[in-house]
Amino acid sequence: MEPMTAFDAAKQEALLRQLVGGVIVSCQPEPGGRFDAPESVVAFALAATAAGAKGLRIQAARNVEAVRNACALPVIGIVKRDLESSPVRITPLIADVEALADAEAAIIAVDATERVRPTPVAELIAAIHRRGRIAMADIATPGEALSAVAAGADVLASTMSGYTGPGPTPGLPDLALVRYCATLGRPVFAEGRYNTPALAAEAIRAGATAVVVGSAITRPERITAWFRAAVEAASPTTTPVLAFDIGGTKTLAALVLGAEVLERRMVPTPRDVADPGWIEAIARLASGWSGRYAIASAVVTGLVVAGRWSAVNSGVLQIPEGYPLEERLSKALGVPTLSMNDGNAAAWGEYRHGAGRGRDLAFVTVSSGIGGGIVSQGRLLCGARGFGGSLGQVPWKLGAEGRSLEARASGFGMAAVARSQGRAAEAPDAAAIFAAAGRGSPWAEQIVADAIDDLAAALVGLQAIIDPDLMVIGGGVGLAEGFIERLRQAAQKHHRLLVPKIVPAALGADAGIVGAADLALTGEGPAMR
């Protein structure tokens, strides 16, 4: 590749065409690790070249120069430095741009996030263009992508997504950001947590021009740690996890070891979640267990985003929006704590230790509310907001009583239907409705039948969409005597090819805490967020 001293649009376009549909390998060894030397970086670069990589991302001018002397692939150059006055680390200074240009990097990447910085993004990009190089903007948000385009960036990269916010880093890459950037008329490099071939392929399908893969290829320390964590999580452990299940009516604390619940304590769930003493009351359930656990987890009804809890159905539990459950529980307990939606946790529990061991499944819990989760190809599909698979929130029969499946077919939903019929005194809850139906009361039987029909139709629809091996049913209502058999019969009213295989949750009411304990140990939870 000829040295570039002035911006040549034709040459830049030709270079970028070389990268279309390709893998760019980020050859950045663990800082201070065994491979943190120019000769190792060159070895990684040559191995990537031999395997068909179309480009390389290299940190530090000396490494860029060494790789350019040994390899013909286009190089994305960066400089990482820690500044006391700014969190920006990737090529923050004009001097860094000059050093990378002198080392013959074809593309120079800069942190283009909207944070306190020593040099404006537009000035860095202008300096890159003065040296005839392609300017790549590492961004974290759609707004930053727009600003980078306005500043003259030639390439957008999703590198910083998940690394600039206050919460934990997500486990999965930001495909939504890739899709958005693909609409802005610039090449898009998907980068950040693309650690499997399947995720890299998803990025291309989302509109990425190329995919940058780093740690999964060139950091043996991290790769080893991933495998070690997975193997240790699958192996018997001797240290229990403290798990909480905070539901609409009761709160459970338990010590969980694998699929076994060693000890448990339960109290009614306090109604005023905002009360200052509420979290201390929850933590006191673990009194006397100190020293027996090193990590905790909490499963809750509702939505959990980056450890913050919000209600979806305020009729189940009144939760202040964005309640910092993870932070406050961790502080009260003195150990790291993972929080997640109860349906997601139960789905994982049944996948790891219950009715669906190792099989694709959809879990649906029918209790006070209706929740759920989906496990597909060994991954919990908890979505961008940690809430995937919540069937109860699907809009159902708009204009009828209730506006979601949960409002019609859950325990609270059935009780609401009974109240609307003037049956509140004789049927204050789902248990009383089932009892009345068992005694032959036509009104109660109709409420139960309608709820089961609605739920069966929803399961058939879910089967048509995701086609899992199993539909696992849990929850106090779902596991009530005769409920699953009636659910199976109701599903038979639909097309035979779409009737799901419906099985009861093998872990019963413990599915959520077992799943949450397992996710806390593996670090995979909505930290998969």
Side-chain angles (χ1 to χ4, degrees), residues 142-334:
E144 290 167 356
L146 284 172
S147 296
V149 170
D154 306 300
V155 178
L156 300 173
S158 59
T159 315
M160 301 305 297
S161 176
Y163 298 103
T164 61
T169 301
L172 293 176
D174 192 345
L175 289 167
L177 182 60
V178 171
R179 292 188 190 95
Y180 177 80
C181 289
T183 68
L184 299 181
R186 297 287 190 278
V188 180
F189 292 174
E191 183 171 4
R193 304 180 298 282
Y194 288 94
N195 49 29
T196 69
L199 289 173
E202 282 297 316
I204 295 297
R205 284 190 282 269
T209 306
V211 183
V212 181
V213 183
S215 297
I217 295 177
T218 61
R219 291 195 171 180
E221 301 93 336
R222 294 197 184 185
I223 301 167
T224 301
W226 294 340
F227 279 91
R228 176 187 56 77
V231 169
E232 288 178 355
S235 303
T237 177
T238 57
T239 305
V241 174
L242 173 61
F244 294 92
D245 184 350
I246 305 172
T249 57
K250 65 182 186 301
T251 293
L252 168 73
L255 289 175
V256 181
L257 185 63
E260 184 181 1
V261 178
L262 303 179
E263 295 186 44
R264 70 177 73 221
R265 296 168 183 166
M266 189 181 299
V267 296
T269 297
R271 303 310 297 176
D272 189 0
V273 179
D275 184 85
W278 186 86
I279 203 72
E280 286 76 14
I282 299 295
R284 278 197 299 272
L285 280 172
S287 176
W289 292 343
S290 180
R292 297 180 61 184
Y293 58 88
I295 193 168
S297 59
V299 299
V300 296
T301 178
L303 179 67
V304 180
V305 180
R308 291 182 170 271
W309 182 22
S310 301
V312 174
N313 183 349
S314 58
V316 176
L317 190 61
Q318 293 281 354
I319 306 161
E321 186 167 347
Y323 181 78
L325 175 66
E326 208 165 278
E327 174 190 336
R328 293 188 181 179
L329 196 52
S330 180
K331 183 176 180 180
L333 295 169

Side-chain angles (χ1 to χ4, degrees), residues 28-30 32-41 44 218-221:
Q28 297 183 54
E30 197 75 31
R34 297 284 184 178
F35 296 94
D36 190 10
E39 56 269 25
S40 296
V41 175
F44 278 130
T218 61
R219 291 195 171 180
E221 301 93 336

Side-chain angles (χ1 to χ4, degrees), residues 101 117 190 273 434 469 480 491:
R117 55 189 316 114
V273 179
F434 275 100
D469 296 329

